[in-house]
Each structure stands twice: as C-alpha cells, then as structure tokens.
Amino acid sequence: MTAAGTLWSSYDDIARRVTLRFEAAIDLDAGWQLAFTSLQQLTPIDSDAVELVEQLASYHLVTASEPASLAAGASWAIGECEVSHQARHANDGPASSYVVTADGSTIAVDVVPMTGPPALATARPSVHDLQLGDTPDDRPALLPYPSHVAITDGSRTSTTTARLAAFDDGADVAWRAIEALTTRRGRPVLTDDGIATVSARLDARLGASAYRILVDGTSVEVTAGDIDGFRYAFVTLAQWLPSGLPAAARVVDRPRYAWRGVHLDVARQWFEPDVVERLIDDAAWRKLSRLHLHLTDDEAWRLPVPAHPALTEIGGRRGHGLPVPPLLGSGADPTGRGYTPDEIGRWVRRADELGVVLVPEIDLPGHLHAARVAMPQLRDPDDTSEATSVQYFVDNVLVPGAPATRRFITDVVDAVAELFPSSPWIHVGGDEVPDGAWSGSPIAREWARANGLSTTNEIEAAIHREVVEAIRERTGRAVGAWEEAARTRGAVPGDGYVVGWQSIDINRELAARGFDVVIAPGQAYYLDMAENSAWETPGMSWAGATSLADVCAFDPESGWSPAERAHIVGLQACLWTEYVHDEAALRDRLFPRLDAIAERSWTGSIVGGPSSVDRRSAAIR
C-alpha cells in the first residue's frame, strides 16, 4: 500500500527543540490526524495551530487545530516541539508514524531519520579507542579463551570433525546437546563418523564446570568435573575443529564466575519465540550460564497467567485503537502477544539441555502500565498522584491494599514458577518507581498508615517485601532484583542477588553492605548503548557510548577489597530493546561486545585485547 506521506524531523541541540513536518503523498480530507512514536516526548509549541490529541509515553497523536484537507504533495508544518530529554542519536526522534483518516482508517507514513546538528555527526573516539595498541595474534579462534592452552605441536592437521568413542555417564548427554547445537549453527563438526576419537571421563576432583582436554594426533581425551564441564569442553572442541586441531595440545579450563549472564528485554518489543531459542544457543556457544528474560513492562506483558488471561490478551498487544497504543516504533496494525506455555516450555527444554539457566523477570511494583490497562481492578480509581516514570508513564505502579493486589501477586508468582521449573531464581524487578507514587492514592495511603509507613520508598520497600515473601513461601526459590530494591531495603542480603546497573560504584557499595551482586553497569555492560557517539549510530546514550574497546578495558573488580569481592556472583550483559526492532538489530547490538563480556566473565580478563576478541568473535559466529 502507498504510504500516506513522509514525516521529517530535525533536532536543534542549542534550543533543545525538534521541528516536525509532514508531507502528504495522497489527498487527505479534513479531520485527518497524524500519529507517531518517539522515545523523546515531543510537545508542539504552537498550541494555537497544533492540537496534541493524545500523548502516552512514546505515543503521540496530533492534528491541526483548524481541521483542513491536505492535498498530495502539500506539507503540514507541525513546527517546533519541546523535548523531554536531550537527543544524541538520530533514533531518538520519531520511529514510526501513520495517518488516521477522517473516516477512522489508518495509513502508514514513511519516517525519515531525524537530522541533527553538524557537531554530532562525527563519532568522537573514546580514550580506549585511541589507546588501541594490541596486535593481531595467532591464538586459536576460541571464545571465551580457555584459562590455559599449551600447543606443543602446532602442525596443521585435517582433523576437522570428531566422534565420541568412549564415555562416562553424562558425557554422552552433553555430547548430544552440543552436537545438536553445532548442527543448528550450520557447522556439524561433532559427528558419528568424525576423524578424531574422543574419550570422555568424569573426575569430580576437578570441580564444578572444570575440564581438561588432551589432543594427541587424532586422539582426544576429555576429563570433566561434572556435566557442565563436559558441555564446555565439547564447545571448545567444536569451536576449534573447523580450523583443524593441532597435532598436540593441552587445555586446562574453568570459569572465573558462576554467573555469566545475558539479559534480553522481550517486553518492549515483540520477538518471535525462536529468536529466544537462538539466543539460548548463542549463550551456550559462549559458555554463558544465565539468560535473564525481562518478560513484563509498561509496554507489554508477555507472561501467561492462567488466572488472568487479560494480561496477555490485552496487555500483550498494542496497536491503533487498542487499550495499549503503538509504542516504540510499532505501527497502527496490532503487534505482539504473550508467549504461550508451550513456547516457554521449548525454551526451558533447550536451556536445560545446554546448561543455561533461564531467569524469568516479572517487574514489580513499577513498570505495570500494560498490566493495569489489562486489569483495571489493579488501579485505585481515586488516585490523583500523577507520578510520572522516567519512561513517561503515569501511576504505573501496583497499589498496595487494593483488593486485587494480593491475589495478583500470588497468581503471577505461581505462574512464573510453573513455567520456569528449573530456575532457582525469580527476578522481581524493583526498579524505577516514580517519585511521588501512591501520594494521591487513598487505598495506598490507608494501607500505609495501617502499616506505619509514609514515604514512597517505605511503601515501595514494603510491597517489594510482600512479593519476595510470596516467592520464598510459595516456591522456595531465591530472588533477584535491580539495585533500587536494595537501596530502599525492599531486598535484603540473603534474599538472593541484586543487579547493579547505574554504576560500578553502586555494585561495590551493595557488596560492602553484604548483598551478593551481579555486576551490570550501564557504562560498560548495557549493550543498548550506542557503540560510538556519531549521530547516525543506533542506540541509547544515557550512559555514554560503549565501544568494544571500552567493554574490554572495563575491569569490574578494580579497587574492590577481598571482602567486597567475595560478594561478586558474576557479570551480566543487558540488552534493552527500545531501539531494537528485529533480530538483525538485536544481533548487531550484541556482537562482538557480548563476546568480550563472556570472556571477562569466564577468565577474569580479556585475552589479546579488542582486536583479538573481534577476530575470534567473527570466527565463531
């Protein structure tokens, strides 16, 4: 279908204004409206000429104050708009658009990337990019690189496949899982008729996840401390085989951290279930041990809860005329849904086979706009708080004391526990509750008075404790949370772990207070950050630009005392998806930076520097 026209935008960094112009490609009768999404909230300044009909987070609907027709080829100048925050990249502007015609139908609009000031056009290299001094190396294309590799005879061989000839219990299960992984990746090097013969022996004295490999000609001996050790050994072999095993080599290896994680936000954008399956494969291929799935947020609720089907039926979809409007680059047509139990079951089986633990997240007590739209009984109808979140959702919180709240919590906890039976942890969010939340809610204030509470932080902490206790009592599992839950004391040491995301200093502070921490500071491990500062480079910018060299240079343990270091559970890369609209963009944001984090979390260091990581990352993809 022909687009209704084109939306143009430009950003003035001095005035902090965005100028919008719509050029029609078809005749539009009087009464038409223009809808668009933009992560920046854009508020037209000329309210006499432009009416802002609706604005919800990234969704905008505008029209001319004096309705008029617009002929094909003519333009409508929406003019200058106030911006909610400073832009640093073209993708900070409008991402999707459509026209609502006078008869209520919708027609897509082409969106031209926002132009910016010349000063932002060229990337400014980071100090770590400027200091690049590493040289290409001749290490095997293994990632993460093992702790110890000794190649005693590097003669080139034609040993490019292997078969399992003798094994202890568990090794064959691990072999079949990695064999299937290599087949799905299009490089089936572990085969029934492989050139090299592999014998696999269990020796628990090696310890958890540890392994040894001895290569002698076409004979390979693998010893592992447990089934995870077998998996990691076979991944190392599978990465090495395409280039040919050396004539003689010895590998001794074990991970630095038990928690080697990657996080994916599947709430803000819809990803087909097989995208998650492929990410499980990607994690296993890099010896990552955790996949944290952010399943619920303001923009969508993806987790099926049998007692409340509306959560996914209403809260999982967005589009024009739906209770949740288009957001973050989606258009007029309905998009997204909840994942089904069968789809989640496939993730669980795949992850269990590959030794990757899935960590499901239900984000509470904030980030609940989609859930509150789907279940109006979760709201306080008399709430006048108007507390606005950092993503511009109003009163997007769970209401303590509301009759539906307790049952909602227990039903959601029961559902997530049943869907993810093998996860020892349930992550409960706890982040970004807006200032002033509950201040105008009669239900919440009465509940707070009855419990001796007054401030937003105290209410937040108390309701968070209620969620944590429901998880502990109903499932017996440990709890993960974002750092804010610990700072408000909604989470306490012993609950499980907290993820520090705003800075490395916060991680260290939490460790000093006795919290077990998963280190994931935005300045190094948030892979939604743009890779450089150039205007056209996609990504977020609140934590700055993060190149591969920046990720490699970041040492998460630098300056920590031994007592603080004892509370480091591990490292985690996080990918939020406001700007990640498809799998191609997802993979572009992840690699090769995720591979540097995988290496750091396995070895505690970066082997060979950024150029080595980049080369080995390309080789194993």
Side-chain angles (χ1 to χ4, degrees):
M1 178 183 291
T2 302
T6 303
L7 180 62
W8 305 79
S9 59
S10 61
Y11 177 64
D12 183 336
D13 197 36
I14 303 300
R16 299 284 177 91
R17 296 282 189 268
V18 168
T19 301
L20 298 176
R21 178 173 64 88
F22 170 68
E23 182 178 309
I26 60 175
D27 293 335
L28 295 171
D29 294 334
W32 65 277
Q33 300 175 318
L34 180 71
F36 63 90
T37 72
S38 170
L39 192 64
Q40 281 185 315
Q41 279 204 321
L42 305 179
T43 304
I45 292 174
D46 189 355
S47 57
D48 291 334
V50 181
E51 178 185 355
L52 181 60
V53 178
E54 186 177 352
Q55 187 180 53
L56 173 68
S58 63
Y59 175 71
H60 303 70
L61 184 64
V62 296
T63 190
S65 297
E66 297 291 336
S69 60
L70 191 66
S75 292
W76 177 44
I78 298 131
E80 287 190 332
C81 299
E82 294 180 348
V83 301
S84 56
H85 61 271
Q86 188 175 23
R88 277 293 169 259
H89 298 278
N91 59 196
D92 291 333
S96 62
S97 182
Y98 59 92
V99 159
V100 183
T101 65
D103 65 5
S105 59
T106 61
I107 307 172
V109 167
D110 292 330
V111 177
V112 175
M114 184 168 67
T115 59
L120 299 180
T122 304
R124 300 179 301 279
S126 74
V127 63
H128 301 117
D129 293 314
L130 292 171
Q131 292 173 349
L132 279 175
D134 50 349
T135 56
D137 59 23
D138 58 357
R139 292 180 179 86
L142 305 176
L143 203 153
Y145 205 73
S147 303
H148 175 78
V149 178
I151 300 175
T152 53
D153 185 345
S155 303
R156 185 177 297 275
T157 74
S158 58
T159 308
T160 56
T161 58
R163 61 186 175 88
L164 187 63
F167 54 87
D168 286 347
D169 287 346
D172 57 331
V173 174
W175 179 273
R176 286 195 299 270
I178 306 307
E179 178 184 33
L181 172 62
T182 64
T183 299
R184 290 192 296 271
R185 297 184 59 83
R187 288 189 175 182
V189 293
L190 306 184
T191 65
D192 291 339
D193 57 355
I195 298 169
T197 58
V198 178
S199 62
R201 184 172 62 88
L202 183 67
D203 186 349
R205 292 173 299 178
L206 286 180
S209 302
Y211 69 90
R212 288 197 307 257
I213 299 174
L214 295 177
V215 179
D216 184 5
T218 59
S219 175
V220 178
E221 180 183 309
V222 171
T223 308
D226 57 12
I227 190 170
D228 281 337
F230 282 128
R231 291 189 187 100
Y232 300 143
F234 299 150
V235 165
T236 297
L237 277 177
Q239 290 182 356
W240 208 340
L241 282 163
S243 59
L245 292 181
R250 183 172 186 264
V251 175
V252 180
D253 202 13
R254 67 185 312 146
R256 170 69 179 85
Y257 301 108
W259 191 291
R260 305 177 305 281
V262 59
H263 154 287
L264 178 64
D265 169 11
V266 295
R268 290 192 170 93
Q269 303 290 353
W270 167 250
F271 296 101
E272 292 294 333
D274 57 357
V275 174
V276 177
E277 289 189 46
R278 285 190 285 273
L279 185 58
I280 294 168
D281 281 355
D282 288 325
W285 191 235
R286 290 155 175 83
K287 302 188 178 82
L288 294 172
S289 59
R290 310 284 187 264
L291 173 55
H292 174 165
L293 294 171
H294 184 78
L295 293 160
T296 70
D297 215 298
D298 293 306
E299 292 83 359
W301 183 284
R302 307 289 185 205
L303 180 81
V305 180
H308 306 292
L311 283 169
T312 50
E313 292 172 1
I314 296 174
R317 301 174 75 238
R318 58 185 188 238
H320 180 72
L322 296 179
V324 182
L327 296 166
L328 298 175
S330 57
D333 293 339
T335 186
R337 59 175 174 82
Y339 294 109
T340 69
D342 285 346
E343 290 163 347
I344 293 174
R346 286 199 295 274
W347 301 345
V348 170
R349 289 189 294 275
R350 173 73 61 85
D352 287 349
E353 289 169 2
L354 292 171
V356 176
V357 176
L358 300 183
V359 181
E361 179 188 352
I362 45 172
D363 204 348
L364 302 170
H367 289 280
L368 278 178
H369 176 79
R372 285 164 53 104
V373 167
M375 295 181 59
Q377 62 269 39
L378 293 177
R379 310 177 196 171
D380 179 347
D382 299 316
D383 191 354
T384 60
S385 302
E386 295 294 313
T388 303
S389 75
V390 69
Q391 290 86 14
Y392 316 114
F393 289 93
V394 177
D395 295 331
N396 63 339
V397 291
L398 198 60
V399 180
T405 294
R406 180 63 188 181
R407 185 189 168 195
F408 172 79
I409 291 171
T410 56
D411 289 343
V412 169
V413 166
D414 290 349
V416 75
E418 183 173 353
L419 289 164
F420 293 89
S422 52
S423 176
W425 305 276
I426 295 174
H427 194 289
V428 294
D431 63 319
E432 296 183 329
V433 169
D435 291 340
W438 304 293
S439 60
S441 166
I443 293 175
R445 301 312 301 179
E446 177 58 33
W447 179 87
R449 279 192 294 271
N451 288 276
L453 311 172
S454 58
T455 68
T456 291
N457 280 354
E458 288 173 343
I459 296 172
E460 177 185 352
I463 195 168
H464 195 90
R465 290 308 307 163
E466 185 174 342
V467 176
V468 170
E469 288 162 10
I471 290 172
R472 301 300 291 269
E473 291 170 5
R474 300 178 76 85
T475 74
R477 304 193 196 186
V479 175
W482 300 108
E483 65 187 45
E484 292 94 324
R487 294 174 75 85
T488 64
R489 303 188 186 280
V492 298
D495 284 342
Y497 71 96
V498 292
V499 183
W501 63 273
Q502 293 189 69
S503 73
I504 188 61
D505 291 340
I506 289 175
N507 282 272
R508 188 176 174 187
E509 170 197 326
L510 293 171
R513 287 173 51 194
F515 286 93
D516 288 340
V517 296
V518 170
I519 296 175
Q523 297 78 10
Y525 289 173
Y526 267 38
L527 301 186
D528 46 308
M529 295 300 121
E531 293 187 56
N532 59 56
S533 60
W535 180 256
E536 298 299 329
T537 301
M540 299 286 272
S541 59
W542 66 263
T546 305
S547 68
L548 174 62
D550 294 327
V551 176
C552 289
F554 176 71
D555 181 355
E557 292 192 22
S558 178
W560 291 56
S561 70
E564 292 164 346
R565 195 172 290 121
H567 285 288
I568 299 176
V569 176
L571 314 180
Q572 181 166 291
C574 294
L575 181 61
W576 301 95
T577 57
E578 287 94 337
Y579 294 150
V580 182
H581 299 124
D582 54 36
E583 187 177 11
L586 182 153
R587 303 189 72 78
D588 181 66
R589 302 298 193 282
L590 287 178
F591 305 116
R593 293 180 296 174
L594 176 62
D595 290 328
I597 298 168
E599 182 134 300
R600 177 75 72 175
S601 64
W602 182 270
T603 68
S605 63
I606 300 294
V607 178
S611 64
S612 177
V613 171
D614 193 35
R615 176 183 66 82
R616 290 181 283 122
S617 173
I620 71 164
R621 268 183 261 163

Short mmCIF file of all heavy atoms in Angstrom, two decimals, residues 82-122:
data_model
loop_
_atom_site.label_atom_id
_atom_site.label_comp_id
_atom_site.label_asym_id
_atom_site.label_seq_id
_atom_site.Cartn_x
_atom_site.Cartn_y
_atom_site.Cartn_z
N GLU A 82 8.75 21.00 22.09
CA GLU A 82 9.57 20.82 23.27
C GLU A 82 9.93 19.34 23.40
O GLU A 82 9.13 18.46 23.04
CB GLU A 82 8.82 21.27 24.52
CG GLU A 82 8.54 22.76 24.58
CD GLU A 82 7.80 23.15 25.83
OE1 GLU A 82 7.30 22.25 26.55
OE2 GLU A 82 7.71 24.36 26.11
N VAL A 83 11.13 19.05 23.91
CA VAL A 83 11.58 17.67 24.03
C VAL A 83 11.70 17.30 25.50
O VAL A 83 12.01 18.14 26.35
CB VAL A 83 12.91 17.44 23.30
CG1 VAL A 83 12.79 17.77 21.83
CG2 VAL A 83 14.04 18.25 23.93
N SER A 84 11.44 16.04 25.78
CA SER A 84 11.51 15.56 27.17
C SER A 84 12.93 15.34 27.63
O SER A 84 13.22 15.40 28.82
CB SER A 84 10.72 14.26 27.30
OG SER A 84 11.23 13.29 26.37
N HIS A 85 13.82 15.06 26.68
CA HIS A 85 15.22 14.87 27.05
C HIS A 85 16.10 15.13 25.83
O HIS A 85 15.64 15.12 24.69
CB HIS A 85 15.47 13.47 27.62
CG HIS A 85 15.18 12.35 26.67
ND1 HIS A 85 13.94 11.77 26.57
CD2 HIS A 85 15.96 11.70 25.77
CE1 HIS A 85 13.96 10.81 25.66
NE2 HIS A 85 15.19 10.75 25.16
N GLN A 86 17.36 15.34 26.09
CA GLN A 86 18.32 15.68 25.06
C GLN A 86 18.52 14.51 24.11
O GLN A 86 18.60 13.35 24.52
CB GLN A 86 19.65 16.06 25.71
CG GLN A 86 20.70 16.62 24.78
CD GLN A 86 21.92 17.08 25.55
OE1 GLN A 86 22.16 16.61 26.68
NE2 GLN A 86 22.68 17.99 25.00
N ALA A 87 18.58 14.80 22.81
CA ALA A 87 18.85 13.77 21.81
C ALA A 87 20.35 13.67 21.57
O ALA A 87 21.06 14.66 21.60
CB ALA A 87 18.12 14.09 20.51
N ARG A 88 20.79 12.45 21.32
CA ARG A 88 22.19 12.23 20.98
C ARG A 88 22.38 11.37 19.73
O ARG A 88 23.48 11.29 19.19
CB ARG A 88 22.91 11.57 22.17
CG ARG A 88 23.35 12.60 23.22
CD ARG A 88 24.44 13.49 22.65
NE ARG A 88 24.78 14.66 23.45
CZ ARG A 88 24.36 15.88 23.22
NH1 ARG A 88 23.53 16.11 22.20
NH2 ARG A 88 24.74 16.90 23.95
N HIS A 89 21.29 10.78 19.26
CA HIS A 89 21.36 9.95 18.06
C HIS A 89 20.08 10.12 17.26
O HIS A 89 19.03 10.47 17.81
CB HIS A 89 21.58 8.48 18.42
CG HIS A 89 22.85 8.22 19.15
ND1 HIS A 89 24.06 8.08 18.51
CD2 HIS A 89 23.12 8.11 20.47
CE1 HIS A 89 25.01 7.88 19.41
NE2 HIS A 89 24.47 7.90 20.62
N ALA A 90 20.17 9.83 15.97
CA ALA A 90 19.01 10.00 15.09
C ALA A 90 17.81 9.21 15.59
O ALA A 90 16.66 9.64 15.45
CB ALA A 90 19.37 9.59 13.67
N ASN A 91 18.06 8.03 16.18
CA ASN A 91 16.93 7.20 16.60
C ASN A 91 16.22 7.74 17.84
O ASN A 91 15.22 7.17 18.28
CB ASN A 91 17.34 5.74 16.81
CG ASN A 91 18.42 5.48 17.85
OD1 ASN A 91 19.01 4.41 17.87
ND2 ASN A 91 18.71 6.44 18.73
N ASP A 92 16.70 8.86 18.40
CA ASP A 92 15.97 9.49 19.50
C ASP A 92 14.70 10.18 19.01
O ASP A 92 13.85 10.54 19.83
CB ASP A 92 16.86 10.52 20.21
CG ASP A 92 18.00 9.87 20.97
OD1 ASP A 92 17.85 8.72 21.40
OD2 ASP A 92 19.05 10.53 21.15
N GLY A 93 14.59 10.42 17.71
CA GLY A 93 13.42 11.09 17.15
C GLY A 93 12.33 10.11 16.75
O GLY A 93 12.32 8.95 17.17
N PRO A 94 11.37 10.56 15.92
CA PRO A 94 10.26 9.70 15.50
C PRO A 94 10.75 8.39 14.89
O PRO A 94 11.69 8.36 14.08
CB PRO A 94 9.53 10.56 14.47
CG PRO A 94 9.79 11.97 14.92
CD PRO A 94 11.21 11.94 15.42
N ALA A 95 10.09 7.29 15.29
CA ALA A 95 10.49 5.96 14.83
C ALA A 95 9.43 5.31 13.95
O ALA A 95 9.74 4.42 13.16
CB ALA A 95 10.77 5.05 16.02
N SER A 96 8.17 5.69 14.10
CA SER A 96 7.09 5.14 13.28
C SER A 96 5.98 6.17 13.22
O SER A 96 5.88 7.06 14.08
CB SER A 96 6.56 3.83 13.87
OG SER A 96 6.01 4.05 15.17
N SER A 97 5.12 6.06 12.20
CA SER A 97 4.06 7.04 12.04
C SER A 97 2.97 6.49 11.13
O SER A 97 3.21 5.60 10.31
CB SER A 97 4.63 8.35 11.45
OG SER A 97 3.62 9.34 11.32
N TYR A 98 1.78 7.03 11.30
CA TYR A 98 0.67 6.72 10.41
C TYR A 98 -0.36 7.83 10.48
O TYR A 98 -0.39 8.62 11.43
CB TYR A 98 0.03 5.36 10.75
CG TYR A 98 -0.53 5.24 12.15
CD1 TYR A 98 -1.86 5.54 12.42
CD2 TYR A 98 0.27 4.81 13.21
CE1 TYR A 98 -2.38 5.42 13.70
CE2 TYR A 98 -0.23 4.69 14.49
CZ TYR A 98 -1.56 4.99 14.73
OH TYR A 98 -2.07 4.88 16.00
N VAL A 99 -1.17 7.89 9.44
CA VAL A 99 -2.27 8.85 9.38
C VAL A 99 -3.55 8.15 9.78
O VAL A 99 -3.80 7.00 9.38
CB VAL A 99 -2.39 9.47 7.97
CG1 VAL A 99 -3.79 10.05 7.73
CG2 VAL A 99 -1.34 10.54 7.77
N VAL A 100 -4.37 8.83 10.57
CA VAL A 100 -5.73 8.40 10.86
C VAL A 100 -6.64 9.28 10.00
O VAL A 100 -6.68 10.51 10.20
CB VAL A 100 -6.08 8.54 12.35
CG1 VAL A 100 -7.49 8.00 12.61
CG2 VAL A 100 -5.06 7.83 13.22
N THR A 101 -7.30 8.70 9.03
CA THR A 101 -8.12 9.49 8.12
C THR A 101 -9.41 9.93 8.80
O THR A 101 -9.75 9.48 9.90
CB THR A 101 -8.45 8.68 6.85
OG1 THR A 101 -9.27 7.56 7.22
CG2 THR A 101 -7.17 8.19 6.18
N ALA A 102 -10.14 10.78 8.11
CA ALA A 102 -11.38 11.30 8.67
C ALA A 102 -12.40 10.21 8.95
O ALA A 102 -13.24 10.34 9.85
CB ALA A 102 -11.97 12.35 7.73
N ASP A 103 -12.32 9.11 8.20
CA ASP A 103 -13.27 8.01 8.44
C ASP A 103 -12.75 6.98 9.44
O ASP A 103 -13.36 5.95 9.66
CB ASP A 103 -13.65 7.34 7.12
CG ASP A 103 -12.48 6.63 6.45
OD1 ASP A 103 -11.38 6.58 7.05
OD2 ASP A 103 -12.63 6.12 5.32
N GLY A 104 -11.59 7.26 10.05
CA GLY A 104 -11.06 6.39 11.09
C GLY A 104 -10.11 5.31 10.62
O GLY A 104 -9.56 4.57 11.45
N SER A 105 -9.89 5.18 9.32
CA SER A 105 -8.93 4.18 8.85
C SER A 105 -7.51 4.70 9.03
O SER A 105 -7.29 5.89 9.27
CB SER A 105 -9.19 3.84 7.38
OG SER A 105 -9.09 5.00 6.57
N THR A 106 -6.54 3.80 8.91
CA THR A 106 -5.14 4.18 9.13
C THR A 106 -4.31 3.84 7.90
O THR A 106 -4.55 2.83 7.22
CB THR A 106 -4.55 3.46 10.35
OG1 THR A 106 -4.59 2.03 10.13
CG2 THR A 106 -5.34 3.79 11.61
N ILE A 107 -3.33 4.69 7.63
CA ILE A 107 -2.42 4.50 6.50
C ILE A 107 -1.01 4.81 7.00
O ILE A 107 -0.77 5.88 7.60
CB ILE A 107 -2.77 5.41 5.31
CG1 ILE A 107 -4.24 5.26 4.92
CG2 ILE A 107 -1.87 5.08 4.11
CD1 ILE A 107 -4.69 6.27 3.87
N ALA A 108 -0.07 3.92 6.75
CA ALA A 108 1.30 4.08 7.23
C ALA A 108 1.95 5.32 6.62
O ALA A 108 1.63 5.73 5.49
CB ALA A 108 2.12 2.85 6.92
N VAL A 109 2.86 5.88 7.36
CA VAL A 109 3.65 7.04 6.93
C VAL A 109 5.13 6.66 6.97
O VAL A 109 5.58 6.01 7.92
CB VAL A 109 3.38 8.25 7.86
CG1 VAL A 109 4.40 9.36 7.65
CG2 VAL A 109 1.96 8.77 7.66
N ASP A 110 5.87 7.03 5.93
CA ASP A 110 7.31 6.83 5.94
C ASP A 110 7.96 7.81 6.91
O ASP A 110 7.56 8.98 6.99
CB ASP A 110 7.89 7.04 4.55
CG ASP A 110 7.46 5.97 3.56
OD1 ASP A 110 7.22 4.82 3.99
OD2 ASP A 110 7.35 6.29 2.35
N VAL A 111 8.97 7.33 7.65
CA VAL A 111 9.67 8.19 8.62
C VAL A 111 11.12 8.32 8.19
O VAL A 111 11.83 7.30 8.04
CB VAL A 111 9.58 7.61 10.04
CG1 VAL A 111 10.37 8.47 11.01
CG2 VAL A 111 8.12 7.51 10.49
N VAL A 112 11.56 9.54 7.97
CA VAL A 112 12.95 9.81 7.65
C VAL A 112 13.72 9.99 8.96
O VAL A 112 13.25 10.70 9.86
CB VAL A 112 13.08 11.08 6.77
CG1 VAL A 112 14.54 11.44 6.54
CG2 VAL A 112 12.36 10.87 5.45
N PRO A 113 14.88 9.35 9.11
CA PRO A 113 15.63 9.52 10.35
C PRO A 113 15.86 11.00 10.67
O PRO A 113 16.14 11.81 9.79
CB PRO A 113 16.96 8.80 10.06
CG PRO A 113 16.60 7.78 9.04
CD PRO A 113 15.55 8.42 8.18
N MET A 114 15.74 11.33 11.94
CA MET A 114 15.88 12.72 12.38
C MET A 114 17.28 13.24 12.08
O MET A 114 18.28 12.57 12.36
CB MET A 114 15.59 12.80 13.88
CG MET A 114 15.61 14.20 14.44
SD MET A 114 14.93 14.30 16.13
CE MET A 114 16.15 13.36 17.06
N THR A 115 17.35 14.43 11.51
CA THR A 115 18.64 15.06 11.29
C THR A 115 19.07 15.79 12.56
O THR A 115 18.24 16.21 13.37
CB THR A 115 18.59 16.06 10.12
OG1 THR A 115 17.60 17.06 10.41
CG2 THR A 115 18.22 15.33 8.83
N GLY A 116 20.38 15.93 12.71
CA GLY A 116 20.90 16.54 13.92
C GLY A 116 21.94 17.59 13.62
O GLY A 116 22.30 17.83 12.45
N PRO A 117 22.46 18.21 14.64
CA PRO A 117 23.45 19.27 14.44
C PRO A 117 24.76 18.71 13.90
O PRO A 117 25.14 17.59 14.23
CB PRO A 117 23.63 19.85 15.84
CG PRO A 117 23.16 18.79 16.78
CD PRO A 117 22.11 18.01 16.05
N PRO A 118 25.45 19.48 13.06
CA PRO A 118 26.72 19.01 12.49
C PRO A 118 27.73 18.56 13.54
O PRO A 118 28.51 17.64 13.30
CB PRO A 118 27.22 20.24 11.71
CG PRO A 118 25.99 21.02 11.39
CD PRO A 118 25.07 20.81 12.56
N ALA A 119 27.69 19.20 14.71
CA ALA A 119 28.69 18.86 15.75
C ALA A 119 28.54 17.42 16.22
O ALA A 119 29.50 16.84 16.76
CB ALA A 119 28.54 19.81 16.93
N LEU A 120 27.37 16.81 16.03
CA LEU A 120 27.15 15.43 16.48
C LEU A 120 27.31 14.41 15.36
O LEU A 120 27.11 13.23 15.58
CB LEU A 120 25.76 15.30 17.10
CG LEU A 120 25.47 16.16 18.33
CD1 LEU A 120 24.04 15.92 18.82
CD2 LEU A 120 26.46 15.87 19.44
N ALA A 121 27.66 14.88 14.17
CA ALA A 121 27.68 13.98 13.01
C ALA A 121 28.81 12.96 13.10
O ALA A 121 28.64 11.80 12.70
CB ALA A 121 27.79 14.78 11.72
N THR A 122 29.95 13.37 13.59
CA THR A 122 31.14 12.51 13.58
C THR A 122 31.38 11.92 14.96
O THR A 122 31.26 12.61 15.98
CB THR A 122 32.38 13.33 13.15
OG1 THR A 122 32.12 13.92 11.88
CG2 THR A 122 33.61 12.42 13.06
#
